[in-house]
Amino acid sequence: MLPSLSPWGTVAYFHINRDYIAKVLCENRTRPQLNCNGKCYLAKKLKQQQDKKDKETTERVSNSPVAHLFIAKILRFQFQSETFISKELPDFFYQLPVYRSPFFGILRPPQLS
């Protein structure tokens, strides 16, 4: 996060020391008609920071490991489409047991005749 805040620090430093930069460090201090007031110094510093960040990024990318991917020739399988038809009915039977209460024989609902 610190490198991303670095340009803001440069701009803050420029605003705090604007008079000193305009009088001593400005490249255009001998030409007051340009109204540079140190903006050339600020632009130069921001450009240096951007170039430094670009160089670091380039180095990081060039030093990163490279994974070489390859695809081996794969044998192709072709499945013959055969339909399986069973002529026999399945031999299974499933039925839930019926629960009968022990009182079923004693307590019966009335039957209509």
Side-chain angles (χ1 to χ4, degrees):
M1 188 169 143
L2 189 60
S4 65
L5 295 176
S6 182
W8 292 104
T10 303
V11 172
Y13 175 78
F14 170 75
H15 285 292
I16 292 170
N17 298 315
R18 180 177 276 186
D19 292 335
Y20 173 75
I21 292 171
K23 291 178 184 175
V24 178
L25 301 175
C26 182
E27 295 175 358
N28 299 319
R29 64 180 173 266
T30 58
R31 297 183 275 176
Q33 67 273 13
L34 294 177
N35 292 328
C36 179
N37 297 329
K39 293 176 188 171
C40 59
Y41 176 79
L42 175 63
K44 186 192 312 183
K45 286 296 182 183
L46 290 174
K47 178 76 170 136
Q48 286 176 354
Q49 287 180 349
Q50 185 64 37
D51 291 344
K52 183 179 177 184
K53 187 166 42 168
D54 290 346
K55 182 181 175 187
E56 289 173 356
T57 303
T58 303
E59 288 176 0
R60 193 176 315 129
V61 168
S62 64
N63 292 336
S64 63
V66 177
H68 296 282
L69 301 176
F70 66 94
I71 299 174
K73 186 175 181 180
I74 299 174
L75 298 175
R76 292 187 178 181
F77 295 102
Q78 291 183 347
F79 296 99
Q80 295 178 356
S81 60
E82 294 180 10
T83 54
F84 178 74
I85 300 173
S86 174
K87 294 182 181 179
E88 297 177 14
L89 293 176
D91 270 349
F92 61 90
F93 184 84
Y94 185 75
Q95 182 179 8
L96 291 174
V98 178
Y99 174 75
R100 296 199 183 254
S101 168
F103 301 110
F104 184 74
I106 301 171
L107 303 173
R108 282 193 220 159
Q111 296 182 359
L112 299 175
S113 44

